[in-house]
């Protein structure tokens, strides 16, 4: 009986290790479609989040191929393409963006890692300056509490960079009622508003501000997911079974597309939780 149990446990361990290796080195393509009367023209966007210097192939050729296959009109970044760690290379993110910038407009919303590099220069040296300079050379100007109007499509792309204090561990700090308006002003009413907001915990506040669609990341799908239960286990804030872990969420008339991200940091595993490349299609609403 003991031999049988040991065999079963050994087989289970092998399966788990295989799944971890498999899920930690692949990504899946997910799609979401929205139609709205304010959208003037069809548009297809690729959403990149939480790359954290991950490469799929020596030069990220697998990821680039998947992006190009979708024939996007533009790229939307929901933060953390880099990892804020002293001495960590910025090259993987810069190389990927350089390839993409040759063919597509890129609208970049910062995550907590981009923000942290700026906030603590004594810790991270000139990483923020180097990265900002590289983005500038590529013609990418991050949307830091600002917006870009895509009049052709009837879209407003907004990027919010929330304060470090709102990324607390173990608990979700309260966001002041007027916080979003103070950061971004009033949400446009006559345009379909897309908000690049890395931290999904404040989805109700983003929706109340007036975001029609929120694009987030940060949670990495909960690192590992329980089969059949389909819930992420832990958030970067060290909260078990976070409410917002990955997928599509609704709050009133607002939708959040929450990517499980493309890379990893600190905990370098994924289990039953492959990385995600999101494709969002915007379409004019058909009325009769």
């Amino acid at each position: 009986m003991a031999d049988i149990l040991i065999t079963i446990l050994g087989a289970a361990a092998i399966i788990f290790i295989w799944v971890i290796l498999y899920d930690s080195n692949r990504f899946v393509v997910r799609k979401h479609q929205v139609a709205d009367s304010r959208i003037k023209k069809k548009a297809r966007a690729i959403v990149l989040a939480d790359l954290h210097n991950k490469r799929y192939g020596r030069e990220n050729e697998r990821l680039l191929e998947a992006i190009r296959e979708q024939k996007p009109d533009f790229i939307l970044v929901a933060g953390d393409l880099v990892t804020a760690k002293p001495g960590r290379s910025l090259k993987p993110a810069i190389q990927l963006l350089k390839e993409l910038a040759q063919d597509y407009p890129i609208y970049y919303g910062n995550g907590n890692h981009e923000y942290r590099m700026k906030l603590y220069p004594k810790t991270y040296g000139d990483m923020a300056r180097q990265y900002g300079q590289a983005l500038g050379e590529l013609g990418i100007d991050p949307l830091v509490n600002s917006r870009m109007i895509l009049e052709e499509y009837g879209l407003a792309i907004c990027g919010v960079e929330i304060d470090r204090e709102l990324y607390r561990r173990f608990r979700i700090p309260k966001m002041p009622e007027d916080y979003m308006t103070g950061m971004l002003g009033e949400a446009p009413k006559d345009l379909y508003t897309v908000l690049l907001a890395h931290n999904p915990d404040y989805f109700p506040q983003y929706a109340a501000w007036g975001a029609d669609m929120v694009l987030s990341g940060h949670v990495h799908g909960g690192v590992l997911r329980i089969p059949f239960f389909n819930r992420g286990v832990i958030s970067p804030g060290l909260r078990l079974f976070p409410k917002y872990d990955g997928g599509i969420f609704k709050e009133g008339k607002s939708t959040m597309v929450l990517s499980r991200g493309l890379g990893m940091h600190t905990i370098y595993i994924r289990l039953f939780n492959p990385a995600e490349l999101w494709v969002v299609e915007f379409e004019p609403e058909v009325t009769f």
Side-chain angles (χ1 to χ4, degrees):
M1 187 67 179
D3 289 343
I4 295 174
L5 182 59
I6 291 172
T7 301
I8 291 172
L9 292 175
I14 291 171
I15 291 171
F16 268 70
I17 291 170
W18 183 88
V19 173
I20 288 172
L21 291 173
Y22 182 55
D23 279 352
S24 299
N25 291 285
R26 72 183 180 109
F27 62 89
V28 295
V29 177
R30 311 248 189 239
K31 296 185 179 183
H32 180 70
Q33 187 178 72
V34 61
D36 189 273
S37 60
R38 291 165 293 175
I39 298 173
K40 298 177 182 179
K41 179 182 174 181
K42 284 186 178 182
R44 178 176 294 169
I46 287 289
V47 181
L48 301 178
D50 298 287
L51 183 68
H52 289 295
N53 293 332
K54 176 73 174 178
R55 284 188 174 105
Y56 292 94
R58 185 184 294 271
E59 302 296 335
N60 246 325
E61 58 268 15
R62 285 166 50 204
L63 182 57
L64 284 165
E65 181 182 7
I67 292 171
R68 288 165 177 154
E69 280 181 358
Q70 296 300 322
K71 297 181 172 58
D73 295 289
F74 47 84
I75 309 293
L76 299 174
V77 177
D80 281 7
L81 295 195
V82 296
T83 297
K85 187 173 182 179
R88 184 62 58 90
S89 174
L90 301 169
K91 191 175 179 181
I94 294 170
Q95 284 182 329
L96 177 68
L97 291 169
K98 183 177 181 180
E99 288 292 326
L100 294 175
Q102 296 175 24
D103 300 312
Y104 316 108
I106 299 174
Y107 306 106
Y108 197 120
N110 282 344
N112 58 305
H113 280 251
E114 288 94 348
Y115 179 46
R116 205 159 68 207
M117 291 191 307
K118 294 190 298 180
L119 199 61
Y120 302 113
K122 287 185 179 179
T123 301
Y124 301 107
D126 67 344
M127 288 178 70
R129 183 197 63 78
Q130 289 181 43
Y131 194 54
Q133 181 178 329
L135 294 183
E137 290 173 356
L138 297 175
I140 300 171
D141 186 13
L143 296 171
V144 179
N145 303 320
S146 60
R147 65 188 68 183
M148 177 68 68
I149 304 300
L150 307 185
E151 193 66 43
E152 176 185 4
Y153 299 105
L155 300 174
I157 311 297
C158 304
V160 66
E161 185 178 78
I162 65 175
D163 193 82
R164 178 74 178 150
E165 290 300 312
L166 296 175
Y167 281 95
R168 287 282 184 180
R169 290 185 174 180
F170 306 112
R171 64 184 180 88
I172 302 174
K174 184 178 179 180
M175 178 181 280
E177 287 187 14
D178 61 348
Y179 187 87
M180 287 297 297
T181 303
M183 287 291 200
L184 282 166
E186 297 291 337
K189 306 294 185 186
D190 56 338
L191 298 166
Y192 188 86
T193 301
V194 179
L195 179 66
L196 305 175
H198 185 66
N199 188 341
D201 288 336
Y202 298 98
F203 178 39
Q205 288 82 356
Y206 304 149
W209 171 73
D212 297 298
M213 176 178 289
V214 178
L215 302 178
S216 293
H218 188 55
V219 184
H220 301 188
V223 181
L224 57 100
R225 301 179 76 83
I226 300 173
F228 309 112
F229 186 45
N230 197 30
R231 287 287 302 276
V233 172
I234 191 167
S235 75
L238 301 181
R239 296 188 303 275
L240 293 175
F241 304 109
K243 178 179 180 180
Y244 302 119
D245 54 358
I248 305 295
F249 296 88
K250 297 284 187 178
E251 182 77 29
K253 295 181 180 179
S254 183
T255 300
M256 178 166 67
V257 178
L258 174 52
S259 172
R260 297 181 193 175
L262 284 160
M264 300 160 284
H265 71 90
T266 308
I267 302 174
Y268 288 91
I269 65 167
R270 286 179 176 268
L271 180 62
F272 305 114
N273 179 37
E276 292 182 335
L277 178 68
W278 275 90
V279 182
V280 176
E281 296 188 348
F282 302 93
E283 294 191 358
E285 188 174 50
V286 178
T287 57
F288 297 93

